Amino acid sequence: EILSPRSKLEAVELSPFRAAIAAEVRAIMSAHLTVPALGAAQQPATLSRSVMTDVLRGELGFRGLCVTDDLEMEALARSGGQAVAGAAALQAGVDYLLFRFDESAQLEGHRLLVDALLSGRLPPRRLEEALTRVLDVKARWNVLDAPAATSFDLDADRAEALDLARQGITLLRSGGLPLRG
């Protein structure tokens, strides 16, 4: 929770966002915290239209991809769980929803979004905006041109992940870690 008044938010907390947007940052990740001075006193910023649309897109002028932090985080459990939070985040102005492990939550999130779209609670324009931003990022990184995976080798993937993790370790001084073998 950030309890700062709007004047402090403008001077301190929003300053890095202004600088990043001026530097044409391509994506911003939302946080699941409450910011009463921005109109998000009762819900996390990720689910707040006043934060994600009015402030981030309107006041700050951000035009890039807005991504949620992990929807499985405890802060969203009080908001109805990750499926409900995902649907609310998209309605608030987020473009890309990060569901992690729970496939049933992903499927339920999809169902909730379809229901919201069909009922009119989610305007088609909001979905088109999100889809356009996601496709723009994928096109920029040539993801759309990459061949689709036709099979997965989990053992090879695990071995490669372990190899990359080992390569990423740097020993700064001897005796700093309990190295064995």
Side-chain angles (χ1 to χ4, degrees):
E1 183 174 46
I2 298 179
L3 296 175
S4 302
R6 182 65 189 246
S7 58
K8 182 174 180 275
L9 289 174
E10 291 291 337
V12 179
E13 283 88 350
L14 293 178
S15 181
F17 287 93
R18 289 189 201 292
I21 292 166
E24 299 181 6
V25 67
R26 305 272 191 205
I28 290 178
M29 180 176 278
S30 65
H32 307 322
L33 46 83
T34 57
V35 190
L38 296 181
Q42 304 303 316
Q43 61 187 347
T46 299
L47 310 181
S48 170
R49 182 166 179 77
S50 70
V51 173
M52 303 314 305
T53 298
D54 300 343
V55 174
L56 185 62
R57 300 244 185 244
E59 294 177 30
L60 301 178
F62 181 60
R63 298 289 171 252
L65 185 71
C66 187
V67 180
T68 67
D69 201 343
D70 183 0
L71 293 170
E72 286 188 32
M73 292 177 140
E74 183 64 31
L76 296 182
R78 293 181 298 272
S79 299
Q82 58 186 309
V84 170
L90 190 75
Q91 290 172 307
V94 175
D95 303 308
Y96 196 89
L97 310 173
L98 292 182
F99 287 91
R100 200 163 36 127
F101 297 117
D102 187 352
E103 185 178 356
S104 65
Q106 296 169 26
L107 294 171
E108 178 64 7
H110 178 266
R111 187 190 67 73
L112 291 173
L113 288 171
V114 169
D115 287 351
L117 186 64
L118 294 176
S119 71
R121 292 186 321 274
L122 176 62
R125 178 79 179 125
R126 168 79 274 273
L127 188 59
E128 290 168 10
E129 291 168 354
L131 180 59
T132 299
R133 288 188 188 107
V134 170
L135 290 174
D136 286 348
V137 169
K138 288 183 174 192
R140 186 177 307 119
W141 291 99
N142 296 318
V143 173
L144 299 174
D145 298 329
T150 56
S151 65
F152 300 95
D153 184 343
L154 295 180
D155 290 333
D157 291 345
R158 281 189 195 96
E160 183 176 358
L162 181 59
D163 184 50
L164 290 170
R166 286 181 174 146
Q167 291 177 41
I169 296 172
T170 302
L171 182 61
L172 297 177
R173 64 181 178 269
S174 179
L177 298 172
L179 298 176
R180 297 184 184 120

